[in-house]
Amino acid sequence: MQVPLIQLQCGVNSYEWGKVGKESAAAKYATATDANQFTIENEKPYAELWMGTHPSLPSKDVDTRRSLLDLIQDNKALMSTEVSEKYSEKLPFLFKVLSIRKALSIQAHPNKKLAEELHKKDPKNYPDDNHKPEMTIAVTPFDGLCGFRPLKEITHFLATVPSLRELVGEGAAKEFEEAVSGHETSGSAEETQRNKKALQAIFSALMTKDKSAVLAAAKELVASAEKEGENFAGGGGPANGGKELADLVIRLNGQFEGDIGLFVLFYLNYVKLEVGEAMFLKADDIHAYLSGDIIECMASSDNVVRAGFTPKFQDIPTLISMLTYSYAPISDQKMKPVDYPYVTLNRAAYSSSSSAILYDPPIEEFSVVKTELNSEGAKATFEAIEGPSVVICTAGSGSISVGPKTQQVKAGHVFFVGATAECILESDSERFTTFKAFCELSGKENANGAS
């Protein structure tokens, strides 16, 4: 029987927002696998490395060149019968490395029911019928727009950014202010629902403006940002200073001049993640990634509903109607990783403060363990789980072992580990960093890393 350790050949996408040439971690990792025969072009943007069975860019076995999808469909034991049957013999998650040079579109991913409807109606723009909750872990410093701000912050910006208020209209701005005033943070279900309805109305008032009005307002907004500095937007809100927001407006206008997204940023949390910090986005949550290198794990889907910062197809009516309109500070979306309990570290690992930490979102398709082995000879032995794993090395070098099979690992190498297989990682460098995405439906992985 085949040892369930398979080195994968993974493809990289070239999207316009990706980092260019060797600046792209996604591209550098793709070159690490000799079977890719991939050469980095210095002037070309490289955005995403995909690891999984999604048909848009499927991973392959380095040795046989067969697709991972073929292999797991031929042998259900590689994923476990339970996982294979629940997810139609496909890997439940799509694992990625993103290298972001400029803003991705303002977007959300549909829930399962909406994904099925959109795919049936418009398969060209919505290529599959799955939902796409996703988790982001920063590999380098990252920034992005994620989820609606607390309502008091939006009210503050409507009062202190004249071009925003003028664009949405005085009537719409006043309606919103009156609707939420005094109960912006109410815990009552009835008032929360009323707040969400008011937020949808003020967001719709912005998103449905014609392009000429947006362009004119954007010129005024950028001029204010350039002139006012730290006094911009009333000195900012509690989460972001005036200078920080002014710089953000100027930077994004340089990428997408006069775009509606310059105003959407006043509705959304502006978040910065340091290396190792993470956040989770449910289906129907609005977001736009702006810069950085990240590990991303999601349900296996490529559905995106876009509405700004993009030359691609935009579906503003669908975006307006689909969003949850949940509003909260960004701290509510940041995750709190915990120590992963089902790994044994050897003495060299303990003495060098090595670690294995779990990012466990409140969904069953995936969780991720980040392992850092900080000295030569440091070793982490992972107990077998009842589901599949995909492991990528992002720094350093070492080895991965399953049963009698051991393979050398360096940054960019990717491996599939089958269900019920104990997996051992061992460092031969001073810093050996890996990320392991996995799915186990009924096992031990029930720690919830979402705050």
Side-chain angles (χ1 to χ4, degrees):
M1 184 179 169
Q2 179 188 23
V3 176
L5 176 64
I6 302 166
Q7 186 173 1
L8 297 179
Q9 173 187 341
C10 302
V12 64
N13 280 323
S14 176
Y15 300 142
E16 201 268 336
W17 50 262
K19 290 189 177 180
V20 175
K22 292 178 182 175
E23 293 294 311
S24 168
K28 284 191 289 188
Y29 293 158
T31 62
T33 304
D34 295 336
N36 272 349
Q37 297 180 323
F38 169 68
T39 305
I40 296 175
E41 296 176 33
N42 289 333
E43 305 302 317
K44 189 172 181 178
Y46 297 99
E48 299 182 342
L49 181 79
W50 283 30
M51 301 165 276
T53 58
H54 195 282
S56 295
L57 196 60
S59 299
K60 296 176 182 177
D61 180 347
V62 163
D63 293 330
T64 66
R65 302 297 173 94
R66 291 182 68 195
S67 73
L68 179 59
L69 183 61
D70 281 350
L71 294 172
I72 62 179
Q73 289 180 341
D74 275 1
N75 182 359
K76 286 186 182 180
L78 285 173
M79 289 215 303
S80 82
T81 303
E82 187 183 16
V83 172
S84 288
E85 288 178 355
K86 183 171 180 69
Y87 294 103
S88 307
E89 300 182 354
K90 297 170 187 168
L91 198 65
F93 55 83
L94 179 57
F95 206 22
K96 295 182 180 181
V97 175
L98 271 63
S99 292
I100 306 159
R101 176 180 54 90
K102 60 185 282 190
L104 278 70
S105 57
I106 292 164
Q107 59 184 258
H109 306 298
N111 62 43
K112 189 76 171 80
K113 183 171 181 291
L114 179 59
E116 289 168 355
E117 292 170 7
L118 292 172
H119 178 62
K120 188 174 180 182
K121 183 176 74 174
D122 185 3
K124 179 173 178 280
N125 288 303
Y126 301 104
D128 57 70
D129 63 359
N130 202 13
H131 68 164
K132 193 180 172 184
E134 63 188 32
M135 178 170 68
T136 294
I137 306 170
V139 176
T140 62
F142 161 91
D143 68 342
L145 304 171
C146 303
F148 285 103
R149 293 176 180 271
L151 300 181
K152 278 187 176 177
E153 291 187 32
I154 298 172
T155 303
H156 168 81
F157 291 129
L158 284 169
T160 59
V161 182
S163 52
L164 172 64
R165 192 177 189 92
E166 189 179 330
L167 187 58
V168 299
E170 183 63 27
K174 274 190 173 170
E175 267 184 48
F176 175 75
E177 290 161 346
E178 288 167 7
V180 304
S181 179
H183 48 85
E184 295 94 337
T185 57
S186 169
S188 145
E190 186 182 336
E191 288 189 340
T192 299
Q193 209 48 46
R194 211 160 46 226
N195 286 348
K196 286 184 176 184
K197 193 174 175 185
L199 180 54
Q200 181 172 13
I202 195 72
F203 183 68
S204 179
L206 172 64
M207 297 307 293
T208 52
K209 292 300 176 190
D210 65 66
K211 279 191 175 177
S212 60
V214 174
L215 281 169
K219 282 184 180 175
E220 187 183 330
L221 177 71
V222 173
S224 296
E226 290 173 339
K227 178 184 172 187
E228 295 170 16
E230 64 186 27
N231 297 317
F232 178 67
N240 310 115
K243 179 73 163 60
E244 183 177 47
L245 289 170
D247 290 347
L248 183 61
V249 166
I250 294 163
R251 171 180 141 204
L252 293 175
N253 188 64
Q255 297 174 7
F256 294 95
E257 188 174 357
D259 193 273
I260 189 77
L262 301 177
F263 295 96
V264 174
L265 70 85
F266 294 105
Y267 288 66
L268 306 185
N269 289 299
Y270 175 52
V271 60
K272 294 179 175 179
L273 298 181
E274 295 304 321
V275 175
E277 286 192 303
M279 61 185 180
F280 175 67
L281 296 161
K282 299 186 293 290
D284 301 334
D285 274 354
I286 188 168
H287 59 283
Y289 298 161
L290 302 180
S291 72
D293 295 296
I294 59 174
I295 291 284
E296 189 178 51
C297 199
M298 64 198 67
S300 188
S301 171
D302 198 25
N303 285 324
V304 184
V305 182
R306 301 179 184 88
F309 291 153
T310 181
K312 294 181 181 178
F313 172 73
Q314 298 188 33
D315 191 348
I316 290 170
T318 296
L319 188 81
I320 290 170
S321 66
M322 72 182 276
L323 296 175
T324 60
Y325 293 98
S326 295
Y327 49 90
I330 194 59
S331 56
D332 283 18
Q333 279 182 313
K334 280 191 180 181
M335 301 184 71
K336 291 189 173 74
V338 296
D339 287 336
Y340 182 66
Y342 306 109
V343 63
T344 302
L345 301 179
N346 71 355
R347 183 175 293 178
Y350 272 117
S351 63
S352 59
S353 301
S354 298
S355 62
I357 57 172
L358 173 68
Y359 301 86
D360 194 17
I363 56 167
E364 62 185 9
E365 281 95 338
F366 61 84
S367 303
V368 173
V369 177
K370 178 187 182 184
T371 305
E372 290 188 297
L373 299 176
N374 296 327
S375 71
E376 192 173 339
K379 185 188 292 188
T381 302
F382 289 86
E383 293 178 25
I385 60 171
E386 293 290 332
S389 303
V390 173
V391 180
I392 180 170
C393 171
T394 57
S397 60
S399 63
I400 184 169
S401 303
V402 171
K405 188 174 182 180
T406 298
Q407 291 199 227
Q408 292 307 114
V409 184
K410 64 180 183 179
H413 282 176
V414 181
F415 295 86
F416 174 87
V417 178
T420 69
E422 181 184 79
C423 174
I424 301 170
L425 295 170
E426 184 169 0
S427 177
D428 65 13
S429 59
E430 288 186 2
R431 184 174 63 114
F432 181 38
T433 305
T434 61
F435 290 84
K436 179 169 93 93
F438 64 91
C439 173
E440 186 178 40
L441 298 178
S442 57
K444 334 175 240 211
E445 319 312 333
N446 56 6
N448 185 354
S451 58

PDB file of all heavy atoms in Angstrom, residues 168 172-173 175-176 194-208 267 320 325:
ATOM      1  N   VAL A 168     -23.289  60.431  -0.389  1.00  0.00           N
ATOM      2  CA  VAL A 168     -24.430  59.574  -0.023  1.00  0.00           C
ATOM      3  C   VAL A 168     -25.728  60.381   0.028  1.00  0.00           C
ATOM      4  O   VAL A 168     -26.819  59.823  -0.126  1.00  0.00           O
ATOM      5  CB  VAL A 168     -24.208  58.843   1.328  1.00  0.00           C
ATOM      6  CG1 VAL A 168     -23.005  57.942   1.257  1.00  0.00           C
ATOM      7  CG2 VAL A 168     -24.095  59.809   2.493  1.00  0.00           C
ATOM      8  N   ALA A 172     -30.021  60.712   3.267  1.00  0.00           N
ATOM      9  CA  ALA A 172     -29.625  59.352   3.648  1.00  0.00           C
ATOM     10  C   ALA A 172     -28.748  59.375   4.895  1.00  0.00           C
ATOM     11  O   ALA A 172     -28.887  58.521   5.785  1.00  0.00           O
ATOM     12  CB  ALA A 172     -28.883  58.681   2.491  1.00  0.00           C
ATOM     13  N   ALA A 173     -27.839  60.357   4.967  1.00  0.00           N
ATOM     14  CA  ALA A 173     -26.957  60.464   6.129  1.00  0.00           C
ATOM     15  C   ALA A 173     -27.761  60.723   7.401  1.00  0.00           C
ATOM     16  O   ALA A 173     -27.535  60.080   8.444  1.00  0.00           O
ATOM     17  CB  ALA A 173     -25.931  61.578   5.912  1.00  0.00           C
ATOM     18  N   GLU A 175     -30.969  60.089   7.960  1.00  0.00           N
ATOM     19  CA  GLU A 175     -31.781  58.896   8.259  1.00  0.00           C
ATOM     20  C   GLU A 175     -30.971  57.865   9.033  1.00  0.00           C
ATOM     21  O   GLU A 175     -31.445  57.264   9.995  1.00  0.00           O
ATOM     22  CB  GLU A 175     -32.301  58.260   6.962  1.00  0.00           C
ATOM     23  CG  GLU A 175     -33.668  58.740   6.555  1.00  0.00           C
ATOM     24  CD  GLU A 175     -34.181  58.005   5.312  1.00  0.00           C
ATOM     25  OE1 GLU A 175     -34.106  56.763   5.277  1.00  0.00           O
ATOM     26  OE2 GLU A 175     -34.632  58.684   4.379  1.00  0.00           O
ATOM     27  N   PHE A 176     -29.735  57.643   8.589  1.00  0.00           N
ATOM     28  CA  PHE A 176     -28.872  56.675   9.259  1.00  0.00           C
ATOM     29  C   PHE A 176     -28.571  57.136  10.684  1.00  0.00           C
ATOM     30  O   PHE A 176     -28.687  56.359  11.639  1.00  0.00           O
ATOM     31  CB  PHE A 176     -27.573  56.494   8.476  1.00  0.00           C
ATOM     32  CG  PHE A 176     -26.565  55.608   9.161  1.00  0.00           C
ATOM     33  CD1 PHE A 176     -26.736  54.233   9.184  1.00  0.00           C
ATOM     34  CD2 PHE A 176     -25.453  56.160   9.795  1.00  0.00           C
ATOM     35  CE1 PHE A 176     -25.813  53.414   9.832  1.00  0.00           C
ATOM     36  CE2 PHE A 176     -24.530  55.344  10.431  1.00  0.00           C
ATOM     37  CZ  PHE A 176     -24.712  53.973  10.451  1.00  0.00           C
ATOM     38  N   ARG A 194     -32.596  46.405  13.413  1.00  0.00           N
ATOM     39  CA  ARG A 194     -32.914  47.741  12.907  1.00  0.00           C
ATOM     40  C   ARG A 194     -31.630  48.462  12.487  1.00  0.00           C
ATOM     41  O   ARG A 194     -31.584  49.147  11.464  1.00  0.00           O
ATOM     42  CB  ARG A 194     -33.648  48.529  13.994  1.00  0.00           C
ATOM     43  CG  ARG A 194     -34.647  49.535  13.444  1.00  0.00           C
ATOM     44  CD  ARG A 194     -35.695  49.976  14.412  1.00  0.00           C
ATOM     45  NE  ARG A 194     -35.195  50.321  15.730  1.00  0.00           N
ATOM     46  CZ  ARG A 194     -35.771  49.906  16.862  1.00  0.00           C
ATOM     47  NH1 ARG A 194     -36.837  49.130  16.817  1.00  0.00           N
ATOM     48  NH2 ARG A 194     -35.288  50.271  18.022  1.00  0.00           N
ATOM     49  N   ASN A 195     -30.577  48.292  13.280  1.00  0.00           N
ATOM     50  CA  ASN A 195     -29.282  48.891  12.940  1.00  0.00           C
ATOM     51  C   ASN A 195     -28.743  48.331  11.623  1.00  0.00           C
ATOM     52  O   ASN A 195     -28.204  49.065  10.783  1.00  0.00           O
ATOM     53  CB  ASN A 195     -28.266  48.621  14.053  1.00  0.00           C
ATOM     54  CG  ASN A 195     -28.514  49.470  15.287  1.00  0.00           C
ATOM     55  OD1 ASN A 195     -29.302  50.411  15.249  1.00  0.00           O
ATOM     56  ND2 ASN A 195     -27.851  49.133  16.378  1.00  0.00           N
ATOM     57  N   LYS A 196     -28.864  47.021  11.445  1.00  0.00           N
ATOM     58  CA  LYS A 196     -28.377  46.391  10.217  1.00  0.00           C
ATOM     59  C   LYS A 196     -29.143  46.915   8.999  1.00  0.00           C
ATOM     60  O   LYS A 196     -28.560  47.140   7.932  1.00  0.00           O
ATOM     61  CB  LYS A 196     -28.516  44.861  10.307  1.00  0.00           C
ATOM     62  CG  LYS A 196     -27.489  44.212  11.238  1.00  0.00           C
ATOM     63  CD  LYS A 196     -27.631  42.696  11.205  1.00  0.00           C
ATOM     64  CE  LYS A 196     -26.562  42.023  12.046  1.00  0.00           C
ATOM     65  NZ  LYS A 196     -26.642  40.545  11.947  1.00  0.00           N
ATOM     66  N   LYS A 197     -30.430  47.103   9.167  1.00  0.00           N
ATOM     67  CA  LYS A 197     -31.251  47.637   8.063  1.00  0.00           C
ATOM     68  C   LYS A 197     -30.795  49.061   7.712  1.00  0.00           C
ATOM     69  O   LYS A 197     -30.694  49.435   6.542  1.00  0.00           O
ATOM     70  CB  LYS A 197     -32.724  47.625   8.476  1.00  0.00           C
ATOM     71  CG  LYS A 197     -33.687  47.844   7.329  1.00  0.00           C
ATOM     72  CD  LYS A 197     -35.131  47.683   7.785  1.00  0.00           C
ATOM     73  CE  LYS A 197     -36.076  48.028   6.647  1.00  0.00           C
ATOM     74  NZ  LYS A 197     -37.497  48.001   7.068  1.00  0.00           N
ATOM     75  N   ALA A 198     -30.499  49.866   8.730  1.00  0.00           N
ATOM     76  CA  ALA A 198     -30.024  51.236   8.511  1.00  0.00           C
ATOM     77  C   ALA A 198     -28.646  51.226   7.834  1.00  0.00           C
ATOM     78  O   ALA A 198     -28.373  52.037   6.936  1.00  0.00           O
ATOM     79  CB  ALA A 198     -29.962  51.987   9.834  1.00  0.00           C
ATOM     80  N   LEU A 199     -27.788  50.303   8.248  1.00  0.00           N
ATOM     81  CA  LEU A 199     -26.462  50.185   7.647  1.00  0.00           C
ATOM     82  C   LEU A 199     -26.567  49.772   6.185  1.00  0.00           C
ATOM     83  O   LEU A 199     -25.853  50.310   5.325  1.00  0.00           O
ATOM     84  CB  LEU A 199     -25.630  49.169   8.438  1.00  0.00           C
ATOM     85  CG  LEU A 199     -24.199  48.911   7.963  1.00  0.00           C
ATOM     86  CD1 LEU A 199     -23.404  50.207   7.848  1.00  0.00           C
ATOM     87  CD2 LEU A 199     -23.487  47.930   8.905  1.00  0.00           C
ATOM     88  N   GLN A 200     -27.460  48.836   5.890  1.00  0.00           N
ATOM     89  CA  GLN A 200     -27.656  48.435   4.494  1.00  0.00           C
ATOM     90  C   GLN A 200     -28.122  49.627   3.651  1.00  0.00           C
ATOM     91  O   GLN A 200     -27.669  49.828   2.521  1.00  0.00           O
ATOM     92  CB  GLN A 200     -28.677  47.297   4.395  1.00  0.00           C
ATOM     93  CG  GLN A 200     -28.898  46.835   2.950  1.00  0.00           C
ATOM     94  CD  GLN A 200     -29.763  45.585   2.860  1.00  0.00           C
ATOM     95  OE1 GLN A 200     -30.406  45.183   3.823  1.00  0.00           O
ATOM     96  NE2 GLN A 200     -29.786  44.965   1.699  1.00  0.00           N
ATOM     97  N   ALA A 201     -29.003  50.451   4.212  1.00  0.00           N
ATOM     98  CA  ALA A 201     -29.535  51.605   3.469  1.00  0.00           C
ATOM     99  C   ALA A 201     -28.429  52.621   3.169  1.00  0.00           C
ATOM    100  O   ALA A 201     -28.323  53.123   2.039  1.00  0.00           O
ATOM    101  CB  ALA A 201     -30.665  52.256   4.261  1.00  0.00           C
ATOM    102  N   ILE A 202     -27.571  52.916   4.152  1.00  0.00           N
ATOM    103  CA  ILE A 202     -26.529  53.925   3.928  1.00  0.00           C
ATOM    104  C   ILE A 202     -25.419  53.366   3.025  1.00  0.00           C
ATOM    105  O   ILE A 202     -24.813  54.099   2.247  1.00  0.00           O
ATOM    106  CB  ILE A 202     -25.961  54.468   5.273  1.00  0.00           C
ATOM    107  CG1 ILE A 202     -25.159  55.756   5.049  1.00  0.00           C
ATOM    108  CG2 ILE A 202     -25.117  53.438   5.977  1.00  0.00           C
ATOM    109  CD1 ILE A 202     -25.977  56.967   4.706  1.00  0.00           C
ATOM    110  N   PHE A 203     -25.173  52.064   3.103  1.00  0.00           N
ATOM    111  CA  PHE A 203     -24.196  51.444   2.213  1.00  0.00           C
ATOM    112  C   PHE A 203     -24.728  51.435   0.782  1.00  0.00           C
ATOM    113  O   PHE A 203     -24.011  51.768  -0.167  1.00  0.00           O
ATOM    114  CB  PHE A 203     -23.896  50.017   2.686  1.00  0.00           C
ATOM    115  CG  PHE A 203     -22.835  49.312   1.866  1.00  0.00           C
ATOM    116  CD1 PHE A 203     -21.521  49.729   1.908  1.00  0.00           C
ATOM    117  CD2 PHE A 203     -23.160  48.229   1.059  1.00  0.00           C
ATOM    118  CE1 PHE A 203     -20.531  49.083   1.162  1.00  0.00           C
ATOM    119  CE2 PHE A 203     -22.197  47.575   0.315  1.00  0.00           C
ATOM    120  CZ  PHE A 203     -20.879  47.999   0.362  1.00  0.00           C
ATOM    121  N   SER A 204     -26.000  51.118   0.627  1.00  0.00           N
ATOM    122  CA  SER A 204     -26.640  51.122  -0.700  1.00  0.00           C
ATOM    123  C   SER A 204     -26.639  52.529  -1.302  1.00  0.00           C
ATOM    124  O   SER A 204     -26.412  52.702  -2.503  1.00  0.00           O
ATOM    125  CB  SER A 204     -28.070  50.582  -0.579  1.00  0.00           C
ATOM    126  OG  SER A 204     -28.707  50.594  -1.829  1.00  0.00           O
ATOM    127  N   ALA A 205     -26.863  53.544  -0.442  1.00  0.00           N
ATOM    128  CA  ALA A 205     -26.868  54.937  -0.917  1.00  0.00           C
ATOM    129  C   ALA A 205     -25.525  55.292  -1.542  1.00  0.00           C
ATOM    130  O   ALA A 205     -25.458  56.040  -2.525  1.00  0.00           O
ATOM    131  CB  ALA A 205     -27.189  55.888   0.235  1.00  0.00           C
ATOM    132  N   LEU A 206     -24.442  54.755  -0.986  1.00  0.00           N
ATOM    133  CA  LEU A 206     -23.109  54.996  -1.546  1.00  0.00           C
ATOM    134  C   LEU A 206     -22.880  54.178  -2.815  1.00  0.00           C
ATOM    135  O   LEU A 206     -22.469  54.715  -3.849  1.00  0.00           O
ATOM    136  CB  LEU A 206     -22.038  54.630  -0.509  1.00  0.00           C
ATOM    137  CG  LEU A 206     -20.585  54.658  -1.012  1.00  0.00           C
ATOM    138  CD1 LEU A 206     -20.185  56.078  -1.406  1.00  0.00           C
ATOM    139  CD2 LEU A 206     -19.636  54.105   0.045  1.00  0.00           C
ATOM    140  N   MET A 207     -23.160  52.887  -2.753  1.00  0.00           N
ATOM    141  CA  MET A 207     -22.764  51.976  -3.830  1.00  0.00           C
ATOM    142  C   MET A 207     -23.561  52.177  -5.121  1.00  0.00           C
ATOM    143  O   MET A 207     -23.133  51.737  -6.187  1.00  0.00           O
ATOM    144  CB  MET A 207     -22.907  50.516  -3.365  1.00  0.00           C
ATOM    145  CG  MET A 207     -22.011  50.130  -2.194  1.00  0.00           C
ATOM    146  SD  MET A 207     -20.261  50.485  -2.447  1.00  0.00           S
ATOM    147  CE  MET A 207     -19.875  49.323  -3.762  1.00  0.00           C
ATOM    148  N   THR A 208     -24.697  52.826  -5.033  1.00  0.00           N
ATOM    149  CA  THR A 208     -25.532  53.021  -6.229  1.00  0.00           C
ATOM    150  C   THR A 208     -25.341  54.388  -6.885  1.00  0.00           C
ATOM    151  O   THR A 208     -26.064  54.736  -7.821  1.00  0.00           O
ATOM    152  CB  THR A 208     -27.026  52.817  -5.876  1.00  0.00           C
ATOM    153  OG1 THR A 208     -27.364  53.645  -4.750  1.00  0.00           O
ATOM    154  CG2 THR A 208     -27.301  51.354  -5.511  1.00  0.00           C
ATOM    155  N   TYR A 267     -16.507  52.894   5.813  1.00  0.00           N
ATOM    156  CA  TYR A 267     -17.516  51.988   6.370  1.00  0.00           C
ATOM    157  C   TYR A 267     -16.874  50.745   6.983  1.00  0.00           C
ATOM    158  O   TYR A 267     -17.499  50.069   7.789  1.00  0.00           O
ATOM    159  CB  TYR A 267     -18.462  51.509   5.263  1.00  0.00           C
ATOM    160  CG  TYR A 267     -19.448  52.508   4.725  1.00  0.00           C
ATOM    161  CD1 TYR A 267     -19.049  53.632   4.010  1.00  0.00           C
ATOM    162  CD2 TYR A 267     -20.824  52.317   4.890  1.00  0.00           C
ATOM    163  CE1 TYR A 267     -19.957  54.526   3.490  1.00  0.00           C
ATOM    164  CE2 TYR A 267     -21.752  53.205   4.370  1.00  0.00           C
ATOM    165  CZ  TYR A 267     -21.308  54.313   3.678  1.00  0.00           C
ATOM    166  OH  TYR A 267     -22.223  55.198   3.161  1.00  0.00           O
ATOM    167  N   ILE A 320     -24.869  44.145  -2.354  1.00  0.00           N
ATOM    168  CA  ILE A 320     -25.722  44.899  -1.422  1.00  0.00           C
ATOM    169  C   ILE A 320     -26.732  43.977  -0.742  1.00  0.00           C
ATOM    170  O   ILE A 320     -26.985  44.069   0.457  1.00  0.00           O
ATOM    171  CB  ILE A 320     -26.444  46.051  -2.149  1.00  0.00           C
ATOM    172  CG1 ILE A 320     -25.432  47.142  -2.547  1.00  0.00           C
ATOM    173  CG2 ILE A 320     -27.551  46.650  -1.276  1.00  0.00           C
ATOM    174  CD1 ILE A 320     -26.008  48.201  -3.473  1.00  0.00           C
ATOM    175  N   TYR A 325     -24.283  42.540   7.106  1.00  0.00           N
ATOM    176  CA  TYR A 325     -24.332  43.849   7.756  1.00  0.00           C
ATOM    177  C   TYR A 325     -24.065  43.739   9.266  1.00  0.00           C
ATOM    178  O   TYR A 325     -24.537  44.548  10.054  1.00  0.00           O
ATOM    179  CB  TYR A 325     -25.642  44.589   7.441  1.00  0.00           C
ATOM    180  CG  TYR A 325     -25.682  44.961   5.976  1.00  0.00           C
ATOM    181  CD1 TYR A 325     -26.371  44.162   5.059  1.00  0.00           C
ATOM    182  CD2 TYR A 325     -24.969  46.044   5.490  1.00  0.00           C
ATOM    183  CE1 TYR A 325     -26.354  44.453   3.700  1.00  0.00           C
ATOM    184  CE2 TYR A 325     -24.947  46.344   4.136  1.00  0.00           C
ATOM    185  CZ  TYR A 325     -25.635  45.542   3.249  1.00  0.00           C
ATOM    186  OH  TYR A 325     -25.608  45.830   1.907  1.00  0.00           O
TER     187      TYR A 325
END
